[in-house]
Amino acid sequence: MYIFFLQAIIGFVIDLLVGDPPRLPHPVVYIGRSIACLDKLARKITSSPRGLKAAGAGIAIAVVVGSFGFTALVLWAIGQVNYYVYLLLGAWIVSTTVAARGLADAAGAIRQLLLAGDDTAARRRVGWIVGRDTEAMDRGQMVRATVETAAENINDAVVAPLFYACLGGPALAMAYRAVNTLDSMLGYKNDKYLHLGWASARLDDLAGYIPARLTGLALLFAAWLSGRDWRRAVRAWVRDAAKHPSPNSGIPESVMAGAIHIRLGGRNVYGGVISFRQYMGDSLEEFRPDHITRAVDMLYLASAFAALGLPILVRGLQEIICLY
């Protein structure tokens, strides 16, 4: 079991050092391709709401079980040959499920473009990390979108995969990444995916439930450690987190908003359709590129705290379970 903890920590360090090298194969790319193929196949077989719901459940099960099983099989085979290769390969697999470096780099690039006054390029970059329309965004909206995405993905792309890596090794971390990829590709509440994506969306909510609350605690610790307003962050969590459409995303977003004195949420546009998301946090400061810097600082601190603290937490839970 301790090897899972070691692989999780090493994997996190690998991500911090090298991120996602473009020349190396990335498992999530292949997971995405398999989801796209199964999406097309399902629509050829059925078009009824009930049939699409059943197909969506089948896709979710097949992709998650397949991702776990293939990863576990490869690692088992390598482990029969060489323990140290098994250790390092597992750590690399964990690193592919984590994206702290990628999140920070993406947010930092947007900040640099805003500071340079290149709003057109900044809008294009924001469009790479959010699903909403960016063509008409002003500078404040770009800052808000970047901070919201960074905050939400501290859970989805850092704490949650590390939690599952500690709990069940690289294979379980990859299974979680499959769940998250399913949600990002199919979990939309629109006409196209309302039925096919329902299972993926519910599964992602379930898988992220515990990690999201751990992310909230990690962000509170990061706020305290960095001298930011952790008390206001607590109030924002209690008051505003439940306003978010997701049972999980509202926690890191509300804590982030409270800690750095901004108000997240508000008017968004998706495919030309205006949508309003309830506000989180208090508008104590106008949006500035500096808020992206603060969000990235919080991201790194919370991620480091999670990487060091999750093995201790998971081991403690295992000890408690063994007692009963």
Side-chain angles (χ1 to χ4, degrees):
M1 187 61 65
Y2 286 107
I3 191 172
F4 291 167
F5 302 160
L6 189 57
Q7 286 172 322
I9 294 171
I10 295 174
F12 175 68
V13 173
I14 291 173
D15 175 70
L16 290 182
L17 293 176
V18 301
D20 293 323
R23 294 185 181 181
L24 289 179
H26 200 293
V28 175
V29 172
Y30 299 105
I31 291 173
R33 289 176 182 174
S34 68
I35 294 169
C37 290
L38 291 171
D39 181 355
K40 292 178 181 178
L41 179 61
R43 295 183 189 281
K44 289 180 180 179
I45 296 172
T46 182
S47 60
S48 69
R50 181 176 295 180
L52 288 172
K53 279 193 171 184
I59 290 171
I61 293 170
V63 171
V64 174
V65 173
S67 298
F68 177 88
F70 180 77
T71 305
L73 181 62
V74 169
L75 286 170
W76 174 83
I78 295 296
Q80 303 305 302
V81 177
N82 187 288
Y83 172 84
Y84 295 103
V85 175
Y86 163 79
L87 170 66
L88 293 176
L89 178 62
W92 174 76
I93 289 173
V94 171
S95 78
T96 67
T97 69
V98 177
R101 170 75 177 268
L103 278 172
D105 287 350
I110 293 167
R111 174 184 174 274
Q112 288 300 115
L113 290 169
L114 289 171
L115 289 174
D118 193 345
D119 290 3
T120 300
R123 289 188 188 96
R124 185 169 60 251
R125 284 273 190 165
V126 173
W128 294 359
I129 64 171
V130 301
R132 66 194 77 167
D133 299 348
T134 62
E135 294 83 2
M137 280 186 175
D138 61 27
R139 293 171 64 83
Q141 289 170 331
M142 285 188 275
V143 171
R144 173 169 71 87
T146 303
V147 172
E148 286 174 346
T149 301
E152 177 183 357
N153 281 287
I154 295 171
N155 177 54
D156 294 346
V158 185
V159 176
L162 288 176
F163 173 76
Y164 286 107
C166 291
L167 194 65
L172 194 59
M174 189 57 67
Y176 170 78
R177 178 50 64 200
V179 170
N180 195 243
T181 306
L182 280 160
D183 181 62
S184 67
M185 293 181 67
L186 306 182
Y188 297 101
K189 295 180 180 179
N190 55 27
D191 292 340
K192 184 176 181 180
Y193 289 111
L194 181 63
H195 302 295
L196 187 68
W198 75 275
S200 296
R202 299 291 80 75
L203 187 59
D204 185 68
D205 288 344
L206 180 62
Y209 189 86
I210 293 174
R213 282 133 189 91
L214 297 175
T215 301
L217 294 174
L219 281 168
L220 287 178
F221 180 80
W224 171 77
L225 193 64
S226 61
R228 296 192 169 95
D229 199 340
W230 65 270
R231 291 181 178 85
R232 188 173 294 275
V234 172
R235 289 197 294 270
W237 182 350
V238 173
R239 184 190 67 194
D240 300 331
K243 298 176 183 177
H244 199 285
S246 165
N248 301 325
S249 298
I251 295 173
E253 289 189 31
S254 61
V255 173
M256 181 71 79
I260 63 176
H261 289 174
I262 57 175
R263 186 175 68 180
L264 300 178
R267 179 181 179 274
N268 298 318
V269 182
Y270 298 91
V273 178
I274 297 175
S275 174
F276 183 84
R277 182 172 293 174
Q278 291 294 317
Y279 291 121
M280 291 179 290
D282 301 304
S283 185
L284 300 181
E285 299 179 18
E286 295 295 324
F287 289 112
R288 302 187 306 273
D290 174 62
H291 290 110
I292 297 176
T293 303
R294 299 187 212 176
V296 170
D297 289 345
M298 294 275 285
L299 182 159
Y300 275 132
L301 284 171
S303 299
F305 178 65
L308 296 174
L310 283 173
I312 298 172
L313 174 65
V314 170
R315 184 57 184 168
L317 291 175
Q318 292 167 345
E319 292 288 348
I320 292 172
I321 291 170
C322 288
L323 290 176
Y324 293 94

